[in-house]
Amino acid sequence: VQLQASGGGLVQSGGSLRVSCKAARAISSWFWQTTMGWYRQAPGKQRELVAKITNGGSATYGDSVKGRFTISRDNANKKVYLQMTNLTPEDTAVYYCNAENLVERREYWGEGTLVTVSS
């Protein structure tokens, strides 16, 4: 399984951006067994949870993004999305797609996509 993230870029403060992640070469049953998530790492900081969503659609958010970011998943196409609104420079980071397969008890990571918010 390969996690392919896309959609990062440069946006002004207050703007919106959506990043996507596709679980390439994953079979449908694998995706159904997997909690998908987004983490981010800013320069000089530890990687932190942004949001994750279970196969049933239950979402969890990091405190700093609650009310601004929305995670969703498309099980048919094996994709997960992160819609980001009201972005601030503090949201600038590399955003990593994460997959936690509950049967394998294994995590997968994508390469990351850079989101830069200018003030």
Side-chain angles (χ1 to χ4, degrees), residues 11-72:
V11 63
Q12 289 188 332
S13 183
S16 300
L17 197 66
R18 188 178 81 159
V19 291
S20 305
C21 174
K22 180 176 177 62
R25 299 196 297 271
I27 60 176
S28 296
S29 60
W30 183 91
F31 198 76
W32 274 103
Q33 298 162 358
T34 302
T35 293
M36 300 297 298
W38 289 95
Y39 288 73
R40 68 185 182 186
Q41 187 166 18
K45 294 187 177 181
Q46 290 188 332
R47 191 174 295 190
E48 64 174 355
L49 171 70
V50 177
K52 59 182 178 180
I53 185 168
T54 68
N55 55 2
S58 178
T60 301
Y61 295 93
D63 288 341
S64 62
V65 306
K66 285 179 181 177
R68 299 188 298 123
F69 291 11
T70 302
I71 190 170
S72 60

Side-chain angles (χ1 to χ4, degrees), residues 38-43 47-48 50 91-97 110-116:
W38 289 95
Y39 288 73
R40 68 185 182 186
Q41 187 166 18
R47 191 174 295 190
E48 64 174 355
V50 177
D91 295 313
T92 295
V94 177
Y95 284 70
Y96 295 93
C97 181
E111 291 186 349
T113 185
L114 176 63
V115 172
T116 303

Side-chain angles (χ1 to χ4, degrees), residues 53-112:
I53 185 168
T54 68
N55 55 2
S58 178
T60 301
Y61 295 93
D63 288 341
S64 62
V65 306
K66 285 179 181 177
R68 299 188 298 123
F69 291 11
T70 302
I71 190 170
S72 60
R73 62 189 289 162
D74 177 353
N75 290 328
N77 292 299
K78 299 182 279 291
K79 289 185 174 181
V80 62
Y81 303 97
L82 183 69
Q83 178 67 48
M84 301 179 286
T85 64
N86 196 20
L87 286 159
T88 74
E90 288 68 38
D91 295 313
T92 295
V94 177
Y95 284 70
Y96 295 93
C97 181
N98 171 271
E100 181 181 350
N101 186 275
L102 304 178
V103 173
E104 297 176 357
R105 296 188 178 184
R106 174 182 172 180
E107 280 189 306
Y108 297 78
W109 292 93
E111 291 186 349

